[in-house]
Amino acid sequence: MKKYLVILGATALLAGCTTEKEVKDSESAAHSMHDSKHYTNDQHALKDNTGEQDLSYPPLLKPTSKKGNAVEYELTAQKGQMIFKDGVKTNTYGYNGDFLGPSLQLIKGQQVTIKLTNKLDENTTFHWHGLEIAGDVDGGPHAEIKPGETKIIQFTVNQDAATLWYHPHPMGNTAPQVFKGLAGLLYIDDEESNALSLPNDYAVNDFPIILQDRQFVKGKLQYEDVANTMSTLGDTMMINGIVNPKMTVKNGQIRLRILNGSNARPYNLHFNNDMAFSLIATDGGLKDKAAKMTSLYLGAGERAEIIVDLAAVKENTLQLMDSATTLLPIQITGKAKKATTLAKNLKTAEQSKTYADLEPTKKITLEGTSKELLLNGKKYDMDRIDFKQEHGKTEVWEIENILNDEGAMAHPFHIHGTQFTVVSVNGEEPDESMTGLKDTITIQPNQKIRIAVSFPEKGLYMFHCHILEHEDAGMMGQIDVY
Ligand code: C2O
Ligand code: CU
Ligand code: CU
Protein backbone atom coordinates (compact mmCIF):
# COMPACT_ATOMS: atom_id res chain seq x y z
CA MET A 1 0.00 0.00 0.00
CA LYS A 2 2.82 2.38 0.87
CA LYS A 3 4.43 1.85 -2.52
CA TYR A 4 1.17 2.62 -4.30
CA LEU A 5 0.88 5.96 -2.55
CA VAL A 6 4.42 6.92 -3.44
CA ILE A 7 3.85 6.18 -7.11
CA LEU A 8 0.67 8.19 -7.14
CA GLY A 9 2.51 11.02 -5.46
CA ALA A 10 5.10 11.13 -8.19
CA THR A 11 2.45 11.15 -10.88
CA ALA A 12 0.60 14.05 -9.41
CA LEU A 13 3.81 15.97 -9.16
CA LEU A 14 4.04 15.79 -12.91
CA ALA A 15 0.37 16.35 -13.34
CA GLY A 16 -0.24 19.08 -10.87
CA CYS A 17 2.60 21.42 -11.51
CA THR A 18 3.72 23.37 -14.50
CA THR A 19 7.22 24.31 -15.45
CA GLU A 20 8.18 27.94 -15.97
CA LYS A 21 7.87 27.49 -19.68
CA GLU A 22 4.40 26.00 -19.49
CA VAL A 23 3.33 28.84 -17.26
CA LYS A 24 4.43 31.34 -19.88
CA ASP A 25 2.62 29.39 -22.59
CA SER A 26 -0.52 29.10 -20.56
CA GLU A 27 -0.53 32.80 -19.80
CA SER A 28 -1.13 33.52 -23.43
CA ALA A 29 -3.84 30.88 -23.69
CA ALA A 30 -7.47 31.78 -23.06
CA HIS A 31 -8.47 31.70 -19.42
CA SER A 32 -11.04 29.02 -20.00
CA MET A 33 -8.49 26.59 -21.34
CA HIS A 34 -5.81 27.23 -18.78
CA ASP A 35 -5.78 24.33 -16.52
CA SER A 36 -6.40 21.30 -18.65
CA LYS A 37 -2.75 20.86 -19.49
CA HIS A 38 -1.84 20.55 -15.84
CA TYR A 39 -3.68 17.29 -15.84
CA THR A 40 -2.88 15.90 -19.26
CA ASN A 41 -0.22 13.46 -18.13
CA ASP A 42 -2.27 12.47 -15.15
CA GLN A 43 -2.74 8.74 -14.53
CA HIS A 44 -6.19 9.60 -13.37
CA ALA A 45 -7.24 11.36 -16.56
CA LEU A 46 -11.02 11.41 -16.67
CA LYS A 47 -12.65 8.65 -18.67
CA ASP A 48 -15.62 9.35 -20.92
CA ASN A 49 -18.93 8.83 -19.20
CA THR A 50 -20.71 5.89 -20.83
CA GLY A 51 -24.20 6.96 -19.72
CA GLU A 52 -25.37 3.59 -18.38
CA GLN A 53 -27.34 4.85 -15.41
CA ASP A 54 -30.10 7.41 -15.12
CA LEU A 55 -29.08 10.60 -13.40
CA SER A 56 -31.02 11.29 -10.23
CA TYR A 57 -31.20 14.40 -8.12
CA PRO A 58 -30.76 14.92 -4.40
CA PRO A 59 -34.12 15.11 -2.61
CA LEU A 60 -35.28 18.46 -1.27
CA LEU A 61 -34.98 18.56 2.50
CA LYS A 62 -38.34 19.00 4.22
CA PRO A 63 -38.43 21.30 7.21
CA THR A 64 -39.27 19.71 10.56
CA SER A 65 -41.25 22.82 11.42
CA LYS A 66 -42.42 25.93 9.62
CA LYS A 67 -44.20 28.86 11.23
CA GLY A 68 -44.38 32.02 9.19
CA ASN A 69 -40.88 33.16 8.59
CA ALA A 70 -39.31 30.67 10.97
CA VAL A 71 -38.20 27.36 9.57
CA GLU A 72 -36.41 24.40 11.16
CA TYR A 73 -34.35 21.64 9.62
CA GLU A 74 -32.37 18.63 10.77
CA LEU A 75 -29.16 17.41 9.24
CA THR A 76 -27.22 14.37 10.37
CA ALA A 77 -23.76 13.39 9.20
CA GLN A 78 -23.79 9.62 9.13
CA LYS A 79 -22.09 6.51 7.81
CA GLY A 80 -23.56 4.63 4.88
CA GLN A 81 -22.96 2.02 2.23
CA MET A 82 -23.32 2.30 -1.51
CA ILE A 83 -22.84 0.18 -4.60
CA PHE A 84 -21.39 2.50 -7.23
CA LYS A 85 -19.98 0.02 -9.68
CA ASP A 86 -19.25 -3.65 -10.37
CA GLY A 87 -21.75 -4.66 -7.68
CA VAL A 88 -19.19 -3.89 -4.97
CA LYS A 89 -20.38 -2.50 -1.66
CA THR A 90 -18.35 0.35 -0.27
CA ASN A 91 -18.46 2.40 2.91
CA THR A 92 -19.52 6.00 2.51
CA TYR A 93 -20.63 9.11 4.39
CA GLY A 94 -23.77 11.12 3.79
CA TYR A 95 -26.15 13.67 5.29
CA ASN A 96 -29.50 12.10 6.27
CA GLY A 97 -28.63 9.23 3.94
CA ASP A 98 -25.86 7.07 2.54
CA PHE A 99 -24.12 9.48 0.19
CA LEU A 100 -24.18 13.27 -0.34
CA GLY A 101 -27.00 15.24 1.25
CA PRO A 102 -30.47 16.61 0.50
CA SER A 103 -30.83 20.05 -1.07
CA LEU A 104 -31.84 22.79 1.35
CA GLN A 105 -34.04 25.46 -0.12
CA LEU A 106 -34.03 28.62 1.96
CA ILE A 107 -35.84 31.86 1.27
CA LYS A 108 -34.36 35.32 1.71
CA GLY A 109 -35.58 36.77 5.00
CA GLN A 110 -36.21 33.40 6.66
CA GLN A 111 -35.12 32.73 10.22
CA VAL A 112 -33.46 29.38 10.04
CA THR A 113 -32.78 26.87 12.81
CA ILE A 114 -30.80 23.78 11.95
CA LYS A 115 -30.25 20.86 14.28
CA LEU A 116 -26.90 19.31 13.43
CA THR A 117 -26.03 15.81 14.55
CA ASN A 118 -22.79 13.93 14.15
CA LYS A 119 -23.27 10.16 13.89
CA LEU A 120 -19.80 9.54 12.49
CA ASP A 121 -16.95 8.05 14.52
CA GLU A 122 -14.91 11.22 14.07
CA ASN A 123 -15.31 14.95 14.55
CA THR A 124 -16.96 16.97 11.85
CA THR A 125 -18.36 20.46 11.24
CA PHE A 126 -21.19 21.79 9.07
CA HIS A 127 -19.95 24.64 6.91
CA TRP A 128 -22.28 26.75 4.73
CA HIS A 129 -20.16 27.66 1.75
CA GLY A 130 -21.24 31.04 0.41
CA LEU A 131 -23.67 32.00 3.18
CA GLU A 132 -23.19 35.44 4.66
CA ILE A 133 -23.73 34.55 8.30
CA ALA A 134 -21.98 35.24 11.59
CA GLY A 135 -18.65 33.53 12.15
CA ASP A 136 -19.89 31.47 15.09
CA VAL A 137 -22.46 29.61 12.94
CA ASP A 138 -20.33 29.37 9.82
CA GLY A 139 -19.00 25.91 10.70
CA GLY A 140 -15.25 26.40 10.27
CA PRO A 141 -12.64 24.25 12.02
CA HIS A 142 -13.36 25.90 15.39
CA ALA A 143 -16.93 24.55 15.37
CA GLU A 144 -16.25 20.84 15.64
CA ILE A 145 -19.05 18.54 16.68
CA LYS A 146 -17.94 15.34 18.38
CA PRO A 147 -19.32 11.89 17.57
CA GLY A 148 -22.78 11.48 19.09
CA GLU A 149 -23.22 15.21 19.68
CA THR A 150 -25.95 17.55 18.46
CA LYS A 151 -25.69 21.29 18.02
CA ILE A 152 -28.34 23.81 17.11
CA ILE A 153 -27.53 26.86 15.01
CA GLN A 154 -29.66 29.83 14.03
CA PHE A 155 -29.31 32.52 11.42
CA THR A 156 -31.35 34.79 9.19
CA VAL A 157 -31.00 34.55 5.43
CA ASN A 158 -29.86 37.97 4.35
CA GLN A 159 -28.67 37.57 0.80
CA ASP A 160 -30.14 37.26 -2.69
CA ALA A 161 -31.05 34.08 -4.55
CA ALA A 162 -28.03 31.86 -5.12
CA THR A 163 -26.77 28.32 -5.43
CA LEU A 164 -24.57 27.65 -2.40
CA TRP A 165 -23.47 24.40 -0.81
CA TYR A 166 -22.60 22.81 2.49
CA HIS A 167 -19.81 20.46 3.48
CA PRO A 168 -17.65 19.55 6.50
CA HIS A 169 -14.63 21.60 7.54
CA PRO A 170 -12.89 19.78 10.43
CA MET A 171 -9.29 20.67 11.10
CA GLY A 172 -7.02 18.90 8.62
CA ASN A 173 -9.73 16.40 7.68
CA THR A 174 -12.00 18.09 5.15
CA ALA A 175 -10.72 16.26 2.06
CA PRO A 176 -11.43 12.71 3.27
CA GLN A 177 -14.90 13.58 4.58
CA VAL A 178 -16.00 15.32 1.38
CA PHE A 179 -14.51 12.52 -0.71
CA LYS A 180 -16.50 9.93 1.25
CA GLY A 181 -19.73 11.78 0.47
CA LEU A 182 -20.33 14.73 2.76
CA ALA A 183 -21.64 17.55 0.56
CA GLY A 184 -25.01 19.00 -0.35
CA LEU A 185 -26.62 21.94 -2.09
CA LEU A 186 -28.06 24.99 -0.40
CA TYR A 187 -30.34 27.15 -2.52
CA ILE A 188 -31.53 30.60 -1.65
CA ASP A 189 -34.70 31.86 -3.31
CA ASP A 190 -36.07 35.37 -3.34
CA GLU A 191 -39.04 37.18 -4.86
CA GLU A 192 -36.99 39.14 -7.32
CA SER A 193 -35.52 36.04 -8.94
CA ASN A 194 -38.83 34.16 -8.90
CA ALA A 195 -40.40 37.00 -10.88
CA LEU A 196 -37.95 36.48 -13.73
CA SER A 197 -39.62 33.37 -15.20
CA LEU A 198 -36.35 31.49 -15.27
CA PRO A 199 -36.76 27.70 -15.24
CA ASN A 200 -37.19 26.91 -11.54
CA ASP A 201 -38.95 23.55 -11.21
CA TYR A 202 -36.52 21.46 -9.21
CA ALA A 203 -35.36 18.43 -11.21
CA VAL A 204 -37.94 19.20 -13.92
CA ASN A 205 -36.36 22.09 -15.78
CA ASP A 206 -33.99 23.34 -13.07
CA PHE A 207 -31.34 20.70 -12.41
CA PRO A 208 -28.68 20.41 -9.73
CA ILE A 209 -25.44 19.05 -11.23
CA ILE A 210 -22.79 18.13 -8.65
CA LEU A 211 -19.53 17.29 -10.39
CA GLN A 212 -17.10 15.08 -8.48
CA ASP A 213 -14.32 12.94 -9.87
CA ARG A 214 -13.53 9.78 -7.95
CA GLN A 215 -11.00 7.01 -8.11
CA PHE A 216 -12.28 3.52 -7.39
CA VAL A 217 -9.99 0.68 -6.38
CA LYS A 218 -11.59 -2.70 -7.17
CA GLY A 219 -15.00 -1.04 -7.11
CA LYS A 220 -14.39 0.53 -3.69
CA LEU A 221 -14.29 4.17 -2.83
CA GLN A 222 -11.62 4.59 -0.17
CA TYR A 223 -9.87 7.90 0.23
CA GLU A 224 -6.87 6.36 1.96
CA ASP A 225 -6.16 4.19 -1.10
CA VAL A 226 -6.01 7.07 -3.53
CA ALA A 227 -5.19 10.11 -1.41
CA ASN A 228 -2.63 12.41 -2.88
CA THR A 229 -1.36 15.37 -0.91
CA MET A 230 -1.15 17.53 -4.04
CA SER A 231 -4.57 16.83 -5.51
CA THR A 232 -6.72 13.78 -5.12
CA LEU A 233 -8.01 13.11 -8.61
CA GLY A 234 -10.12 10.32 -10.00
CA ASP A 235 -10.61 8.85 -13.46
CA THR A 236 -14.34 8.36 -12.94
CA MET A 237 -16.92 11.10 -13.13
CA MET A 238 -19.65 11.06 -10.57
CA ILE A 239 -22.60 13.40 -10.93
CA ASN A 240 -25.02 13.77 -8.02
CA GLY A 241 -23.40 10.60 -6.66
CA ILE A 242 -24.12 8.55 -9.81
CA VAL A 243 -21.36 6.94 -11.85
CA ASN A 244 -21.82 7.02 -15.64
CA PRO A 245 -25.11 8.93 -15.53
CA LYS A 246 -27.31 9.93 -18.42
CA MET A 247 -29.69 12.84 -18.10
CA THR A 248 -33.08 12.82 -19.81
CA VAL A 249 -34.79 16.15 -20.32
CA LYS A 250 -37.75 17.59 -22.17
CA ASN A 251 -36.96 19.76 -25.12
CA GLY A 252 -37.02 23.44 -24.32
CA GLN A 253 -35.12 25.63 -21.97
CA ILE A 254 -33.28 24.13 -19.03
CA ARG A 255 -31.31 25.57 -16.17
CA LEU A 256 -28.25 23.74 -14.86
CA ARG A 257 -26.94 24.66 -11.43
CA ILE A 258 -23.43 23.29 -11.58
CA LEU A 259 -21.32 22.77 -8.49
CA ASN A 260 -17.73 21.71 -8.79
CA GLY A 261 -17.73 19.61 -5.62
CA SER A 262 -14.52 17.80 -6.52
CA ASN A 263 -11.62 17.65 -4.10
CA ALA A 264 -9.22 19.19 -6.61
CA ARG A 265 -10.13 18.88 -10.27
CA PRO A 266 -11.12 21.92 -12.31
CA TYR A 267 -13.36 21.60 -15.38
CA ASN A 268 -13.40 23.30 -18.75
CA LEU A 269 -17.10 22.95 -19.43
CA HIS A 270 -18.61 23.15 -22.89
CA PHE A 271 -21.00 21.16 -25.08
CA ASN A 272 -19.94 18.68 -27.74
CA ASN A 273 -21.53 20.81 -30.48
CA ASP A 274 -19.95 23.94 -29.02
CA MET A 275 -23.32 25.61 -28.76
CA ALA A 276 -23.67 28.84 -26.83
CA PHE A 277 -25.35 28.90 -23.42
CA SER A 278 -26.19 31.75 -21.09
CA LEU A 279 -24.37 32.18 -17.81
CA ILE A 280 -26.98 33.65 -15.47
CA ALA A 281 -25.39 33.21 -12.07
CA THR A 282 -21.98 32.86 -10.48
CA ASP A 283 -21.22 31.62 -6.92
CA GLY A 284 -23.18 34.31 -5.13
CA GLY A 285 -26.23 34.60 -7.35
CA LEU A 286 -27.63 36.18 -10.47
CA LYS A 287 -25.48 38.35 -12.69
CA ASP A 288 -26.76 41.78 -13.68
CA LYS A 289 -27.15 40.48 -17.21
CA ALA A 290 -26.87 37.01 -18.70
CA ALA A 291 -23.67 36.37 -20.64
CA LYS A 292 -23.56 34.20 -23.74
CA MET A 293 -20.57 31.88 -23.86
CA THR A 294 -19.46 28.56 -25.27
CA SER A 295 -17.10 27.40 -22.51
CA LEU A 296 -16.74 27.94 -18.83
CA TYR A 297 -13.97 27.18 -16.35
CA LEU A 298 -15.01 25.97 -12.88
CA GLY A 299 -12.39 25.40 -10.20
CA ALA A 300 -13.04 23.29 -7.09
CA GLY A 301 -15.75 24.90 -4.95
CA GLU A 302 -17.04 27.23 -7.69
CA ARG A 303 -20.62 27.22 -8.99
CA ALA A 304 -22.38 28.47 -12.09
CA GLU A 305 -25.97 28.56 -13.27
CA ILE A 306 -26.47 28.29 -16.98
CA ILE A 307 -29.50 28.32 -19.26
CA VAL A 308 -29.37 25.96 -22.21
CA ASP A 309 -31.86 26.22 -25.06
CA LEU A 310 -32.35 22.66 -26.25
CA ALA A 311 -34.61 23.69 -29.12
CA ALA A 312 -31.43 24.80 -30.87
CA VAL A 313 -30.03 21.24 -30.78
CA LYS A 314 -30.51 19.18 -33.95
CA GLU A 315 -29.51 15.77 -32.57
CA ASN A 316 -31.43 14.03 -29.81
CA THR A 317 -28.45 13.82 -27.53
CA LEU A 318 -26.17 16.53 -26.36
CA GLN A 319 -23.05 16.05 -24.28
CA LEU A 320 -21.69 18.19 -21.52
CA MET A 321 -17.91 17.98 -21.84
CA ASP A 322 -14.78 18.71 -19.87
CA SER A 323 -12.21 19.57 -22.53
CA ALA A 324 -12.27 16.42 -24.74
CA THR A 325 -14.01 14.17 -22.18
CA THR A 326 -17.73 13.42 -22.03
CA LEU A 327 -19.03 14.33 -18.58
CA LEU A 328 -22.75 13.90 -19.14
CA PRO A 329 -24.84 12.69 -22.08
CA ILE A 330 -28.13 14.58 -22.21
CA GLN A 331 -31.02 12.82 -23.97
CA ILE A 332 -33.63 15.22 -25.31
CA THR A 333 -37.24 14.04 -25.58
CA GLY A 334 -40.48 15.60 -26.75
CA LYS A 335 -41.27 18.54 -28.94
CA ALA A 336 -39.71 21.88 -28.23
CA LYS A 337 -41.87 24.54 -26.70
CA LYS A 338 -41.06 28.04 -27.67
CA ALA A 339 -38.34 29.20 -25.35
CA THR A 340 -39.08 32.16 -23.14
CA THR A 341 -36.70 34.98 -23.81
CA LEU A 342 -34.35 35.71 -20.96
CA ALA A 343 -35.04 38.92 -19.12
CA LYS A 344 -32.66 41.67 -20.15
CA ASN A 345 -31.77 42.55 -16.61
CA LEU A 346 -31.56 39.72 -14.13
CA LYS A 347 -30.74 41.93 -11.23
CA THR A 348 -31.23 45.57 -10.50
CA ALA A 349 -27.60 46.47 -10.55
CA GLU A 350 -26.68 48.15 -7.31
CA GLN A 351 -24.77 51.39 -7.69
CA SER A 352 -21.56 49.58 -8.32
CA LYS A 353 -18.63 51.51 -7.01
CA THR A 354 -15.37 51.09 -8.80
CA TYR A 355 -12.59 49.75 -6.71
CA ALA A 356 -10.18 49.71 -9.64
CA ASP A 357 -8.24 52.70 -8.36
CA LEU A 358 -8.00 51.52 -4.76
CA GLU A 359 -4.72 50.13 -3.55
CA PRO A 360 -5.09 46.74 -1.87
CA THR A 361 -5.05 46.77 1.92
CA LYS A 362 -4.58 43.01 2.18
CA LYS A 363 -2.16 40.92 0.19
CA ILE A 364 -2.06 37.17 -0.02
CA THR A 365 0.39 34.94 -1.78
CA LEU A 366 -0.42 31.38 -2.71
CA GLU A 367 2.47 29.03 -3.19
CA GLY A 368 1.66 25.46 -3.92
CA THR A 369 3.69 22.72 -5.45
CA SER A 370 4.64 19.33 -4.11
CA LYS A 371 7.46 21.11 -2.29
CA GLU A 372 5.39 23.54 -0.26
CA LEU A 373 1.76 24.42 0.25
CA LEU A 374 1.76 27.87 1.80
CA LEU A 375 -0.50 30.88 2.14
CA ASN A 376 1.48 34.06 2.74
CA GLY A 377 4.52 31.87 3.32
CA LYS A 378 2.83 30.19 6.28
CA LYS A 379 0.79 27.21 7.31
CA TYR A 380 -2.57 27.68 8.99
CA ASP A 381 -2.52 28.10 12.74
CA MET A 382 -5.81 27.92 14.62
CA ASP A 383 -4.47 30.25 17.29
CA ARG A 384 -3.16 32.93 14.95
CA ILE A 385 -5.34 35.73 13.57
CA ASP A 386 -3.95 36.58 10.14
CA PHE A 387 -6.12 39.59 9.31
CA LYS A 388 -8.69 41.94 10.78
CA GLN A 389 -11.42 43.79 8.92
CA GLU A 390 -14.35 45.89 10.03
CA HIS A 391 -17.74 44.40 9.11
CA GLY A 392 -19.62 46.28 6.40
CA LYS A 393 -16.46 47.95 5.16
CA THR A 394 -15.14 47.12 1.72
CA GLU A 395 -11.44 46.46 1.30
CA VAL A 396 -9.47 45.43 -1.75
CA TRP A 397 -7.53 42.20 -1.37
CA GLU A 398 -4.82 41.16 -3.77
CA ILE A 399 -4.15 37.46 -4.20
CA GLU A 400 -1.12 36.31 -6.09
CA ASN A 401 -0.20 32.83 -7.21
CA ILE A 402 3.59 32.79 -7.03
CA LEU A 403 6.11 30.46 -8.59
CA ASN A 404 8.78 28.57 -6.75
CA ASP A 405 11.54 26.61 -8.45
CA GLU A 406 9.09 23.79 -9.16
CA GLY A 407 6.62 26.09 -10.89
CA ALA A 408 3.06 26.57 -9.73
CA MET A 409 -0.43 25.22 -10.14
CA ALA A 410 -3.85 26.86 -10.16
CA HIS A 411 -5.44 27.50 -6.74
CA PRO A 412 -9.16 28.17 -6.21
CA PHE A 413 -9.14 30.80 -3.46
CA HIS A 414 -12.21 30.94 -1.18
CA ILE A 415 -13.34 33.27 1.62
CA HIS A 416 -16.04 32.40 4.16
CA GLY A 417 -18.89 34.70 5.13
CA THR A 418 -18.77 36.97 2.08
CA GLN A 419 -19.60 37.31 -1.58
CA PHE A 420 -16.95 39.42 -3.24
CA THR A 421 -16.46 40.93 -6.68
CA VAL A 422 -13.40 40.66 -8.89
CA VAL A 423 -11.79 44.04 -9.50
CA SER A 424 -8.96 43.06 -11.84
CA VAL A 425 -6.97 40.12 -13.17
CA ASN A 426 -3.32 41.02 -13.74
CA GLY A 427 -4.45 44.62 -13.94
CA GLU A 428 -7.07 43.93 -16.61
CA GLU A 429 -10.83 43.84 -16.33
CA PRO A 430 -12.21 40.40 -15.43
CA ASP A 431 -14.04 38.44 -18.12
CA GLU A 432 -17.76 37.60 -17.95
CA SER A 433 -17.24 34.32 -16.08
CA MET A 434 -15.72 36.27 -13.18
CA THR A 435 -18.13 39.19 -13.19
CA GLY A 436 -20.79 38.94 -10.53
CA LEU A 437 -20.73 37.75 -6.96
CA LYS A 438 -18.07 35.18 -6.17
CA ASP A 439 -16.89 33.40 -3.06
CA THR A 440 -14.25 31.27 -4.78
CA ILE A 441 -11.97 32.41 -7.57
CA THR A 442 -9.28 30.42 -9.32
CA ILE A 443 -5.90 32.11 -9.41
CA GLN A 444 -3.80 30.73 -12.24
CA PRO A 445 0.00 30.43 -11.97
CA ASN A 446 1.66 33.85 -11.97
CA GLN A 447 -1.69 35.59 -11.78
CA LYS A 448 -2.55 38.52 -9.53
CA ILE A 449 -6.24 39.03 -8.84
CA ARG A 450 -7.75 41.93 -6.92
CA ILE A 451 -11.13 41.50 -5.25
CA ALA A 452 -13.41 43.85 -3.34
CA VAL A 453 -14.38 42.16 -0.07
CA SER A 454 -16.96 43.13 2.51
CA PHE A 455 -18.29 41.02 5.39
CA PRO A 456 -21.86 41.84 6.40
CA GLU A 457 -21.60 39.90 9.68
CA LYS A 458 -18.98 39.59 12.40
CA GLY A 459 -16.82 36.75 13.61
CA LEU A 460 -13.91 34.57 12.74
CA TYR A 461 -13.79 33.38 9.12
CA MET A 462 -11.46 31.18 7.09
CA PHE A 463 -9.92 31.93 3.73
CA HIS A 464 -8.13 29.17 1.91
CA CYS A 465 -7.37 27.24 -1.21
CA HIS A 466 -10.38 25.05 -2.08
CA ILE A 467 -8.27 22.18 -3.33
CA LEU A 468 -9.20 20.25 -0.22
CA GLU A 469 -5.81 18.59 0.12
CA HIS A 470 -4.21 22.04 0.11
CA GLU A 471 -6.66 23.30 2.72
CA ASP A 472 -5.95 20.30 4.93
CA ALA A 473 -2.20 20.82 4.47
CA GLY A 474 -2.52 24.33 5.87
CA MET A 475 -3.05 26.60 2.86
CA MET A 476 -5.50 28.56 4.96
CA GLY A 477 -5.68 31.69 7.09
CA GLN A 478 -8.29 33.30 9.30
CA ILE A 479 -9.71 36.76 9.60
CA ASP A 480 -11.33 38.42 12.58
CA VAL A 481 -14.23 40.54 11.37
CA TYR A 482 -15.26 43.03 14.06
CU1 C2O B 1 -16.21 25.34 0.83
CU2 C2O B 1 -13.84 26.74 3.78
O1 C2O B 1 -15.01 25.95 2.29
CU1 CU C 1 -16.70 28.21 2.60
CU1 CU D 1 -4.16 25.16 -3.74
Side-chain angles (χ1 to χ4, degrees):
M1 189 51 61
K2 259 243 168 70
K3 201 166 170 207
Y4 187 47
L5 282 175
V6 172
I7 295 166
L8 284 179
T11 314
L13 195 151
L14 288 171
C17 308
T18 51
T19 62
E20 290 256 11
K21 189 186 163 292
E22 276 179 311
V23 169
K24 288 230 177 62
D25 290 347
S26 71
E27 263 171 55
S28 51
H31 169 76
S32 64
M33 295 312 289
H34 255 179
D35 222 75
S36 52
K37 74 168 52 160
H38 300 192
Y39 293 90
T40 44
N41 43 9
D42 165 20
Q43 257 192 0
H44 300 291
L46 262 190
K47 293 184 290 200
D48 286 316
N49 172 358
T50 53
E52 282 145 32
Q53 303 198 65
D54 286 328
L55 184 62
S56 59
Y57 305 93
L60 286 171
L61 184 62
K62 290 199 183 73
T64 47
S65 139
K66 193 166 187 279
K67 286 186 205 96
N69 231 9
V71 59
E72 289 180 23
Y73 289 98
E74 283 181 17
L75 270 183
T76 300
Q78 60 193 63
K79 292 182 282 184
Q81 283 199 318
M82 293 284 286
I83 297 174
F84 289 112
K85 54 189 293 183
D86 312 328
V88 180
K89 239 190 213 165
T90 190
N91 292 326
T92 53
Y93 284 175
Y95 292 112
N96 298 7
D98 288 312
F99 193 76
L100 297 179
S103 301
L104 259 90
Q105 211 164 20
L106 305 178
I107 301 169
K108 187 180 179 183
Q110 260 176 348
Q111 286 172 287
V112 183
T113 304
I114 313 181
K115 190 172 153 194
L116 308 168
T117 303
N118 179 4
K119 284 196 181 158
L120 306 172
D121 296 329
E122 57 181 353
N123 290 355
T124 193
T125 81
F126 294 72
H127 169 57
W128 319 99
H129 180 129
L131 257 191
E132 296 180 315
I133 50 176
D136 60 354
V137 287
D138 172 66
H142 297 269
E144 285 198 327
I145 302 179
K146 294 200 178 71
E149 278 187 357
T150 289
K151 195 182 163 191
I152 291 172
I153 59 161
Q154 289 188 304
F155 57 85
T156 301
V157 181
N158 244 331
Q159 67 200 88
D160 293 341
T163 302
L164 313 176
W165 63 303
Y166 61 97
H167 63 78
H169 220 295
M171 186 60 204
N173 202 23
T174 298
Q177 291 194 358
V178 173
F179 187 92
K180 289 171 188 175
L182 291 183
L185 286 163
L186 169 59
Y187 288 3
I188 297 177
D189 277 343
D190 63 12
E191 280 170 20
E192 203 186 4
S193 67
N194 285 338
L196 287 172
S197 67
L198 293 167
N200 70 349
D201 263 345
Y202 188 80
V204 175
N205 60 12
D206 180 358
F207 300 96
I209 303 285
I210 306 172
L211 302 176
Q212 296 177 309
D213 62 323
R214 289 291 185 267
Q215 188 63 36
F216 290 88
V217 179
K218 297 202 182 87
K220 291 208 178 208
L221 187 65
Q222 288 174 156
Y223 185 75
E224 293 71 21
D225 288 354
V226 297
N228 182 301
T229 48
M230 279 311 293
S231 288
T232 299
L233 303 170
D235 64 8
T236 305
M237 195 59 213
M238 186 181 257
I239 300 183
N240 299 346
I242 312 281
V243 171
N244 286 325
K246 179 183 79 212
M247 186 180 187
T248 305
V249 294
K250 287 224 180 72
N251 205 330
Q253 212 172 37
I254 57 166
R255 176 187 198 166
L256 303 180
R257 303 191 190 221
I258 307 169
L259 158 66
N260 181 353
S262 309
N263 278 41
R265 186 184 291 279
Y267 300 93
N268 287 306
L269 301 174
H270 65 102
F271 290 101
N272 60 318
N273 61 1
D274 278 316
M275 70 185 290
F277 52 86
S278 301
L279 177 70
I280 58 164
T282 48
D283 302 334
L286 292 172
K287 291 164 68 69
D288 296 345
K289 288 185 169 61
K292 274 238 161 40
M293 46 184 68
T294 54
S295 75
L296 178 66
Y297 178 96
L298 268 196
E302 291 183 283
R303 285 92 61 215
E305 293 182 31
I306 64 173
I307 300 279
V308 189
D309 187 0
L310 299 173
V313 184
K314 299 275 171 304
E315 304 74 27
N316 40 26
T317 55
L318 181 67
Q319 290 171 13
L320 177 66
M321 312 280 292
D322 165 37
S323 300
T325 309
T326 303
L327 290 185
L328 178 64
I330 303 174
Q331 170 107 44
I332 306 166
T333 63
K335 256 245 222 61
K337 271 199 275 157
K338 201 178 156 342
T340 31
T341 23
L342 273 181
K344 252 227 179 74
N345 297 306
L346 298 173
K347 215 169 173 180
T348 29
E350 286 152 36
Q351 268 307 324
S352 61
K353 272 196 216 131
T354 14
Y355 296 99
D357 302 328
L358 277 191
E359 278 305 304
T361 44
K362 291 185 168 52
K363 289 195 178 184
I364 291 172
T365 57
L366 303 173
E367 183 187 345
T369 58
S370 60
K371 207 170 141 198
E372 282 294 10
L373 289 165
L374 301 172
L375 192 149
N376 267 352
K378 288 176 267 195
K379 294 266 187 211
Y380 175 70
D381 180 348
M382 249 183 150
D383 300 318
R384 183 187 68 227
I385 303 289
D386 298 281
F387 289 136
K388 282 175 182 279
Q389 184 164 326
E390 193 182 331
H391 80 280
K393 208 178 138 197
T394 304
E395 290 192 32
V396 173
W397 296 28
E398 183 178 273
I399 306 111
E400 184 179 4
N401 184 348
I402 58 175
L403 307 180
N404 62 24
D405 53 17
E406 281 189 343
M409 62 183 283
H411 300 285
F413 178 77
H414 168 54
I415 314 179
H416 289 204
T418 180
Q419 292 292 338
F420 54 77
T421 54
V422 178
V423 176
S424 65
V425 178
N426 283 345
E428 312 267 315
E429 262 183 50
D431 67 34
E432 279 287 358
S433 68
M434 295 186 178
T435 321
L437 294 173
K438 296 283 294 166
D439 55 48
T440 309
I441 182 84
T442 301
I443 323 279
Q444 299 291 342
N446 233 359
Q447 226 175 30
K448 227 186 242 181
I449 292 193
R450 288 187 180 181
I451 56 177
V453 185
S454 156
F455 297 89
E457 303 285 336
K458 295 182 198 174
L460 189 63
Y461 299 100
M462 304 300 122
F463 50 90
H464 59 89
C465 176
H466 218 287
I467 290 178
L468 300 179
E469 285 74 24
H470 295 189
E471 174 193 329
D472 282 349
M475 235 179 145
M476 178 157 77
Q478 51 191 8
I479 180 163
D480 175 24
V481 178
Y482 58 95

